[in-house]
Amino acid sequence: GRSRHAPPKSTPRTRGRARATAGAMASKLAPEILERLRAYLEDEEFLMEVAAWAWEHCEKFPYEAPNKWEHPLEFTRLHAEYRELFEGRCDEFLEEEGIDFKAILDDIQTELRERPGPMRALVDSLSASEDYLRFCTYMQQVRTRRDWAEGKDLQRPSAEDADDNEDSP
C-alpha cells in the first residue's frame, strides 16, 4: 500500500503565518464585506421586520424629548430586542459568508473611519441599534408616523392650531 502522510503539524509559527495571510486577505476584502453586509441589512424583508417591530411597540414612547421623561425598565428591554434584530441579522450574514468577524474587525473599523461615505447608512442603522437615546428618538418618530397613519391627533401642534385646521378641506 501507499504510505500515508500525516498533515503538517501546526506550530505557533505556522499558525501566525496563517493568521497574517488571513488578515491580509481580510484587509483587502473589508470594503467588499461591508458593502455586502450593508446590502444584507437593507434587504426589504428585514427592513419590513424591523418596521413592523417598531410599529408594534412605538405607542409606549412619549412625545417629549427623551431627557424629559422617566424611562421604564421596559424600554431597556425593548432596546435590547431591537439590538438583537440587527445583531442576529449580522450573525446570519457572517455565518452564510463564512467570515470570522473578530479576525477582520480592525480592518472593518479602519475602513469605516477612512471611507465612511458609502457606509453611512450601515453605520447609522447599527449605531441607532446600539445607542439607547437614538433608539428612543427613532421610536418616537415611528409613533408620530403611526398616529398620522391612523388619523390620530398629533400632539406636536397646539390645540388652537388643531381647531383651525379642522375646517380646512
Coordinates of all heavy atoms in Angstrom, one line a residue, residues 43-109:
D43 N -31.9 44.6 3.1 CA -32.9 43.7 2.4 C -34.3 44.1 2.8 O -34.6 44.3 4.0 CB -32.6 42.3 2.9 CG -33.6 41.3 2.3 OD1 -33.6 41.1 1.1 OD2 -34.5 40.8 3.1
E44 N -35.2 44.2 1.9 CA -36.5 44.7 2.1 C -37.3 43.9 3.2 O -38.0 44.4 4.0 CB -37.3 44.7 0.8 CG -38.6 45.4 0.9 CD -39.3 45.6 -0.5 OE1 -38.7 45.5 -1.5 OE2 -40.6 45.8 -0.4
E45 N -37.1 42.6 3.1 CA -37.8 41.7 4.1 C -37.3 42.0 5.5 O -38.2 42.1 6.4 CB -37.6 40.2 3.7 CG -38.4 39.3 4.5 CD -38.2 37.9 3.9 OE1 -38.3 37.6 2.7 OE2 -38.0 37.0 4.8
F46 N -36.0 42.2 5.7 CA -35.5 42.5 7.0 C -36.0 43.9 7.5 O -36.4 44.0 8.6 CB -34.0 42.4 7.0 CG -33.4 42.9 8.3 CD1 -33.6 42.1 9.5 CD2 -32.6 44.0 8.4 CE1 -33.1 42.5 10.7 CE2 -32.1 44.4 9.6 CZ -32.3 43.7 10.8
L47 N -36.0 44.9 6.6 CA -36.4 46.2 6.9 C -37.9 46.2 7.3 O -38.3 46.9 8.2 CB -36.1 47.2 5.8 CG -34.7 47.5 5.5 CD1 -34.5 48.4 4.3 CD2 -34.0 48.0 6.7
M48 N -38.7 45.4 6.6 CA -40.1 45.3 7.0 C -40.3 44.6 8.4 O -41.1 45.0 9.2 CB -40.9 44.5 5.9 CG -41.0 45.2 4.6 SD -41.8 46.8 4.7 CE -43.5 46.2 5.1
E49 N -39.4 43.7 8.7 CA -39.4 43.1 10.0 C -39.1 44.1 11.1 O -39.8 44.2 12.1 CB -38.4 41.9 10.1 CG -38.3 41.2 11.4 CD -37.2 40.2 11.5 OE1 -36.7 39.7 10.4 OE2 -36.8 39.8 12.6
V50 N -38.1 44.9 10.9 CA -37.7 46.0 11.8 C -38.9 47.0 12.0 O -39.3 47.4 13.1 CB -36.4 46.7 11.4 CG1 -36.2 47.9 12.3 CG2 -35.3 45.7 11.5
A51 N -39.4 47.4 10.8 CA -40.5 48.4 10.8 C -41.7 47.9 11.5 O -42.4 48.6 12.3 CB -40.9 48.8 9.4
A52 N -42.1 46.6 11.3 CA -43.2 46.0 12.0 C -43.0 45.9 13.5 O -43.9 46.2 14.3 CB -43.5 44.6 11.4
W53 N -41.8 45.6 13.9 CA -41.5 45.5 15.3 C -41.6 46.9 15.9 O -42.2 47.0 17.0 CB -40.0 45.0 15.5 CG -39.7 44.8 16.9 CD1 -39.8 43.7 17.7 CD2 -39.1 45.8 17.8 NE1 -39.4 44.0 19.0 CE2 -39.0 45.3 19.0 CE3 -38.8 47.2 17.6 CZ2 -38.5 46.0 20.1 CZ3 -38.3 47.9 18.6 CH2 -38.1 47.3 19.9
A54 N -41.1 47.9 15.3 CA -41.1 49.3 15.8 C -42.6 49.8 15.9 O -43.0 50.4 16.8 CB -40.3 50.2 15.0
W55 N -43.3 49.5 14.8 CA -44.8 49.9 14.8 C -45.5 49.3 15.9 O -46.4 50.0 16.6 CB -45.3 49.4 13.4 CG -46.6 50.0 13.1 CD1 -47.9 49.4 13.3 CD2 -46.9 51.2 12.3 NE1 -48.9 50.2 12.7 CE2 -48.3 51.3 12.1 CE3 -46.0 52.2 11.8 CZ2 -48.8 52.4 11.5 CZ3 -46.6 53.2 11.1 CH2 -48.0 53.3 11.0
E56 N -45.2 48.1 16.3 CA -45.9 47.4 17.3 C -45.7 48.0 18.7 O -46.5 48.0 19.6 CB -45.5 45.9 17.4 CG -46.2 45.1 18.4 CD -45.7 43.6 18.4 OE1 -45.2 43.2 17.4 OE2 -45.8 43.0 19.5
H57 N -44.4 48.5 18.9 CA -44.0 49.0 20.3 C -44.0 50.5 20.4 O -43.8 51.0 21.5 CB -42.7 48.4 20.6 CG -42.7 46.9 20.7 ND1 -43.3 46.2 21.7 CD2 -42.2 46.0 19.8 CE1 -43.2 44.9 21.5 NE2 -42.5 44.7 20.4
C58 N -44.1 51.3 19.3 CA -43.9 52.7 19.4 C -44.8 53.5 20.3 O -44.4 54.5 20.8 CB -43.9 53.3 18.0 SG -45.5 53.3 17.2
E59 N -46.0 53.1 20.4 CA -47.0 53.8 21.2 C -46.7 54.0 22.7 O -47.2 54.8 23.3 CB -48.4 53.3 21.0 CG -49.0 53.5 19.6 CD -50.4 53.0 19.5 OE1 -50.6 51.8 19.7 OE2 -51.3 53.8 19.2
K60 N -45.8 53.2 23.1 CA -45.4 53.2 24.5 C -44.4 54.4 24.8 O -44.3 54.8 25.9 CB -44.6 52.0 24.9 CG -45.5 50.7 24.8 CD -44.7 49.4 24.8 CE -45.6 48.2 24.6 NZ -44.9 47.0 24.3
F61 N -43.9 55.0 23.7 CA -42.9 56.1 23.9 C -43.6 57.5 23.9 O -44.3 57.8 23.0 CB -41.8 56.0 22.8 CG -40.9 54.8 23.0 CD1 -41.3 53.6 22.6 CD2 -39.7 55.0 23.5 CE1 -40.5 52.5 22.8 CE2 -38.8 53.9 23.7 CZ -39.3 52.6 23.4
P62 N -43.3 58.3 24.9 CA -43.9 59.6 25.0 C -43.4 60.5 23.9 O -42.3 60.2 23.3 CB -43.5 60.2 26.4 CG -42.8 59.0 27.1 CD -42.5 58.0 26.1
Y63 N -44.1 61.6 23.6 CA -43.6 62.5 22.6 C -42.5 63.5 23.0 O -41.7 63.9 22.2 CB -44.8 63.4 22.1 CG -45.7 62.7 21.1 CD1 -47.0 62.3 21.5 CD2 -45.3 62.5 19.8 CE1 -47.8 61.7 20.6 CE2 -46.2 61.9 18.9 CZ -47.4 61.4 19.3 OH -48.2 60.8 18.4
E64 N -42.5 63.7 24.3 CA -41.5 64.7 24.8 C -40.0 64.2 24.6 O -39.8 63.0 24.4 CB -41.6 64.9 26.3 CG -43.0 65.6 26.7 CD -44.1 64.6 26.7 OE1 -43.9 63.4 27.0 OE2 -45.2 65.0 26.3
A65 N -39.1 65.1 24.6 CA -37.7 64.7 24.4 C -37.3 63.6 25.4 O -37.7 63.7 26.5 CB -36.8 65.9 24.5
P66 N -36.5 62.7 24.9 CA -36.1 61.5 25.8 C -35.5 61.9 27.2 O -35.6 61.2 28.1 CB -35.2 60.7 25.0 CG -35.5 61.0 23.6 CD -36.0 62.5 23.6
N67 N -34.9 63.1 27.2 CA -34.3 63.5 28.5 C -35.3 64.2 29.4 O -35.0 64.6 30.5 CB -33.1 64.4 28.3 CG -33.5 65.7 27.5 OD1 -34.6 65.8 27.1 ND2 -32.6 66.6 27.5
K68 N -36.6 64.2 29.0 CA -37.6 64.9 29.8 C -38.6 63.9 30.5 O -39.5 64.3 31.2 CB -38.5 65.8 28.9 CG -37.7 66.8 28.1 CD -37.5 68.1 29.0 CE -37.0 69.2 28.1 NZ -35.9 69.9 28.8
W69 N -38.4 62.6 30.3 CA -39.3 61.7 30.9 C -38.6 60.5 31.6 O -37.5 60.2 31.3 CB -40.4 61.2 30.0 CG -40.0 60.9 28.5 CD1 -40.0 61.8 27.5 CD2 -39.5 59.7 28.0 NE1 -39.5 61.2 26.4 CE2 -39.2 59.9 26.6 CE3 -39.3 58.4 28.5 CZ2 -38.8 58.9 25.8 CZ3 -38.8 57.4 27.7 CH2 -38.6 57.6 26.4
E70 N -39.4 59.9 32.5 CA -38.9 58.7 33.2 C -38.8 57.5 32.2 O -39.7 57.3 31.4 CB -39.8 58.4 34.3 CG -39.4 57.3 35.3 CD -38.3 57.8 36.2 OE1 -38.3 59.0 36.5 OE2 -37.6 56.9 36.7
H71 N -37.7 56.8 32.3 CA -37.6 55.7 31.3 C -37.8 54.3 32.1 O -37.0 53.9 32.9 CB -36.1 55.7 30.8 CG -35.9 56.8 29.9 ND1 -35.8 56.7 28.5 CD2 -35.7 58.1 30.1 CE1 -35.6 57.8 28.0 NE2 -35.5 58.7 28.9
P72 N -39.0 53.7 31.8 CA -39.3 52.5 32.4 C -38.3 51.4 32.0 O -37.8 51.4 30.9 CB -40.7 52.2 32.0 CG -41.0 53.0 30.8 CD -40.0 54.2 30.8
L73 N -38.2 50.4 32.8 CA -37.3 49.3 32.5 C -37.7 48.6 31.2 O -36.8 48.1 30.5 CB -37.3 48.3 33.7 CG -36.2 47.2 33.7 CD1 -34.8 47.8 33.6 CD2 -36.4 46.4 35.0
E74 N -39.0 48.6 30.9 CA -39.4 48.0 29.6 C -38.7 48.6 28.4 O -38.5 47.9 27.5 CB -41.0 48.2 29.5 CG -41.5 47.6 28.2 CD -43.0 47.9 28.0 OE1 -43.5 48.8 28.7 OE2 -43.6 47.2 27.2
F75 N -38.4 49.9 28.4 CA -37.7 50.5 27.3 C -36.3 49.9 27.1 O -35.8 49.8 26.0 CB -37.7 52.0 27.4 CG -39.0 52.7 27.3 CD1 -40.2 52.0 27.1 CD2 -39.1 54.1 27.3 CE1 -41.4 52.6 27.0 CE2 -40.3 54.7 27.2 CZ -41.5 54.0 27.0
T76 N -35.7 49.6 28.2 CA -34.3 49.0 28.1 C -34.5 47.6 27.5 O -33.7 47.2 26.6 CB -33.7 48.9 29.5 OG1 -33.7 50.2 30.1 CG2 -32.3 48.3 29.5
R77 N -35.5 46.9 27.9 CA -35.8 45.6 27.3 C -36.1 45.7 25.8 O -35.6 44.9 25.0 CB -37.0 44.9 28.0 CG -37.3 43.5 27.6 CD -38.5 42.9 28.2 NE -39.7 43.6 28.1 CZ -40.4 43.7 26.9 NH1 -40.0 43.1 25.9 NH2 -41.5 44.4 26.9
L78 N -36.9 46.7 25.4 CA -37.2 46.9 24.0 C -36.0 47.2 23.2 O -35.8 46.8 22.1 CB -38.3 48.0 23.9 CG -39.7 47.6 24.3 CD1 -40.6 48.8 24.3 CD2 -40.3 46.4 23.5
H79 N -35.1 48.1 23.8 CA -33.9 48.4 23.1 C -33.0 47.2 22.9 O -32.4 47.0 21.8 CB -33.1 49.4 23.9 CG -31.8 49.9 23.3 ND1 -30.6 49.8 23.9 CD2 -31.6 50.4 22.1 CE1 -29.7 50.2 23.1 NE2 -30.2 50.6 22.0
A80 N -33.0 46.3 23.9 CA -32.2 45.0 23.7 C -32.8 44.2 22.6 O -32.1 43.6 21.8 CB -32.2 44.3 25.1
E81 N -34.1 44.1 22.5 CA -34.8 43.3 21.5 C -34.4 44.0 20.1 O -34.2 43.2 19.1 CB -36.3 43.4 21.6 CG -36.9 42.4 22.6 CD -38.4 42.5 22.7 OE1 -39.1 42.8 21.7 OE2 -38.9 42.2 23.8
Y82 N -34.5 45.3 20.0 CA -34.2 46.0 18.8 C -32.7 45.7 18.4 O -32.4 45.4 17.2 CB -34.4 47.5 19.0 CG -34.2 48.3 17.8 CD1 -35.1 48.4 16.8 CD2 -33.0 49.1 17.6 CE1 -35.0 49.2 15.7 CE2 -32.9 49.9 16.5 CZ -33.8 50.0 15.6 OH -33.7 50.8 14.5
R83 N -31.8 45.7 19.3 CA -30.4 45.4 19.0 C -30.3 44.0 18.5 O -29.5 43.7 17.6 CB -29.6 45.6 20.3 CG -29.3 47.0 20.7 CD -28.4 47.1 21.9 NE -27.1 46.4 21.7 CZ -26.2 46.2 22.6 NH1 -26.4 46.7 23.8 NH2 -25.1 45.6 22.3
E84 N -31.0 43.1 19.2 CA -31.0 41.6 18.8 C -31.4 41.4 17.3 O -30.9 40.5 16.6 CB -31.8 40.8 19.7 CG -31.1 40.6 21.1 CD -32.0 39.9 22.1 OE1 -33.0 39.3 21.7 OE2 -31.7 40.0 23.3
L85 N -32.3 42.2 16.8 CA -32.7 42.1 15.4 C -31.5 42.3 14.5 O -31.3 41.6 13.6 CB -33.8 43.2 15.1 CG -35.2 43.0 15.7 CD1 -36.1 44.2 15.4 CD2 -35.9 41.7 15.1
F86 N -30.8 43.4 14.8 CA -29.6 43.7 14.0 C -28.4 42.8 14.2 O -27.8 42.3 13.3 CB -29.1 45.2 14.3 CG -30.0 46.2 13.6 CD1 -31.1 46.7 14.3 CD2 -29.8 46.6 12.3 CE1 -32.0 47.6 13.7 CE2 -30.6 47.5 11.7 CZ -31.7 48.0 12.4
E87 N -28.2 42.4 15.5 CA -27.1 41.5 15.8 C -27.4 40.1 15.2 O -26.5 39.5 14.6 CB -26.9 41.4 17.3 CG -26.3 42.6 17.9 CD -26.3 42.6 19.4 OE1 -26.6 41.6 20.0 OE2 -25.9 43.7 20.0
G88 N -28.6 39.7 15.3 CA -29.0 38.4 14.7 C -28.8 38.4 13.2 O -28.3 37.4 12.6
R89 N -29.2 39.5 12.6 CA -29.0 39.6 11.1 C -27.6 39.6 10.7 O -27.2 39.0 9.7 CB -29.7 40.9 10.6 CG -29.8 41.1 9.2 CD -30.7 40.2 8.5 NE -30.8 40.5 7.0 CZ -31.4 39.8 6.2 NH1 -32.1 38.7 6.5 NH2 -31.4 40.1 4.9
C90 N -26.7 40.4 11.5 CA -25.3 40.4 11.2 C -24.7 39.0 11.4 O -23.9 38.6 10.6 CB -24.6 41.4 12.1 SG -24.9 43.1 11.7
D91 N -25.0 38.3 12.5 CA -24.5 37.0 12.7 C -24.9 36.0 11.6 O -24.1 35.2 11.1 CB -25.0 36.4 14.0 CG -24.4 37.1 15.2 OD1 -23.4 37.8 15.1 OD2 -25.0 36.9 16.4
E92 N -26.1 36.2 11.1 CA -26.6 35.3 10.0 C -25.8 35.6 8.7 O -25.4 34.6 8.1 CB -28.1 35.7 9.7 CG -28.9 34.9 8.8 CD -30.3 35.4 8.7 OE1 -31.1 35.2 9.7 OE2 -30.6 36.0 7.7
F93 N -25.5 36.8 8.5 CA -24.7 37.2 7.3 C -23.3 36.6 7.4 O -22.8 36.0 6.5 CB -24.6 38.7 7.2 CG -23.5 39.2 6.2 CD1 -23.8 39.2 4.8 CD2 -22.3 39.6 6.7 CE1 -22.8 39.7 3.9 CE2 -21.3 40.1 5.8 CZ -21.6 40.1 4.4
L94 N -22.6 36.8 8.6 CA -21.3 36.3 8.8 C -21.2 34.8 8.7 O -20.3 34.2 8.1 CB -20.8 36.7 10.2 CG -20.6 38.2 10.3 CD1 -20.3 38.6 11.8 CD2 -19.5 38.8 9.4
E95 N -22.3 34.1 9.2 CA -22.3 32.6 9.1 C -22.5 32.2 7.6 O -21.8 31.3 7.1 CB -23.4 32.1 9.9 CG -23.4 30.6 10.0 CD -24.5 30.1 11.0 OE1 -24.7 30.7 12.1 OE2 -25.2 29.1 10.6
E96 N -23.4 32.8 6.9 CA -23.6 32.5 5.5 C -22.4 32.7 4.6 O -22.1 32.0 3.7 CB -24.8 33.3 4.9 CG -26.1 32.8 5.3 CD -27.3 33.6 4.7 OE1 -27.1 34.4 3.7 OE2 -28.4 33.5 5.2
E97 N -21.6 33.8 5.0 CA -20.4 34.2 4.2 C -19.2 33.4 4.7 O -18.2 33.5 4.1 CB -20.2 35.7 4.3 CG -21.3 36.5 3.7 CD -21.1 36.7 2.2 OE1 -20.0 36.7 1.7 OE2 -22.1 36.8 1.5
G98 N -19.3 32.7 5.8 CA -18.1 32.0 6.4 C -17.0 33.0 6.9 O -15.9 32.7 6.7
I99 N -17.4 34.1 7.5 CA -16.5 35.1 7.9 C -16.3 35.1 9.4 O -17.3 35.0 10.1 CB -17.0 36.5 7.4 CG1 -17.1 36.6 5.9 CG2 -16.1 37.6 8.0 CD1 -17.8 37.9 5.4
D100 N -15.0 35.1 9.8 CA -14.7 35.2 11.2 C -14.6 36.7 11.5 O -13.6 37.4 11.2 CB -13.4 34.5 11.5 CG -13.0 34.7 13.0 OD1 -13.7 35.3 13.8 OD2 -11.9 34.2 13.3
F101 N -15.7 37.3 12.1 CA -15.7 38.7 12.3 C -14.6 39.3 13.1 O -14.0 40.3 12.8 CB -17.1 39.1 12.9 CG -17.3 40.6 12.9 CD1 -17.5 41.3 11.7 CD2 -17.4 41.3 14.1 CE1 -17.8 42.7 11.7 CE2 -17.6 42.7 14.1 CZ -17.8 43.3 12.9
K102 N -14.2 38.5 14.2 CA -13.2 39.0 15.1 C -11.9 39.2 14.3 O -11.1 40.1 14.6 CB -13.0 38.1 16.2 CG -14.1 38.2 17.2 CD -13.9 37.3 18.4 CE -15.0 37.5 19.5 NZ -16.0 36.6 19.5
A103 N -11.6 38.3 13.3 CA -10.4 38.3 12.5 C -10.3 39.6 11.7 O -9.2 40.1 11.4 CB -10.3 37.1 11.7
I104 N -11.4 40.1 11.3 CA -11.4 41.3 10.3 C -11.9 42.6 11.0 O -12.0 43.6 10.3 CB -12.3 41.0 9.1 CG1 -13.7 40.8 9.4 CG2 -11.7 39.8 8.3 CD1 -14.7 40.9 8.2
L105 N -12.2 42.5 12.3 CA -12.8 43.7 12.9 C -12.0 44.9 12.8 O -12.5 46.0 12.5 CB -13.1 43.4 14.4 CG -13.8 44.4 15.2 CD1 -15.2 44.7 14.5 CD2 -14.1 44.0 16.6
D106 N -10.6 44.8 13.1 CA -9.8 46.0 12.9 C -9.8 46.6 11.5 O -9.9 47.9 11.4 CB -8.3 45.7 13.3 CG -8.2 45.4 14.8 OD1 -9.0 45.9 15.6 OD2 -7.2 44.8 15.2
D107 N -9.8 45.8 10.5 CA -9.8 46.3 9.1 C -11.2 46.9 8.8 O -11.2 48.0 8.1 CB -9.6 45.1 8.2 CG -8.2 44.5 8.3 OD1 -7.3 45.3 8.5 OD2 -8.1 43.3 8.4
I108 N -12.2 46.4 9.4 CA -13.5 47.0 9.1 C -13.6 48.4 9.8 O -14.1 49.3 9.2 CB -14.7 46.0 9.6 CG1 -14.8 44.9 8.6 CG2 -16.0 46.8 9.8 CD1 -15.8 43.8 8.9
Q109 N -13.1 48.4 11.0 CA -13.1 49.7 11.8 C -12.3 50.8 11.0 O -12.8 51.9 10.9 CB -12.6 49.6 13.2 CG -13.6 48.8 14.1 CD -12.9 48.5 15.4 OE1 -11.7 48.4 15.6 NE2 -13.8 48.3 16.4

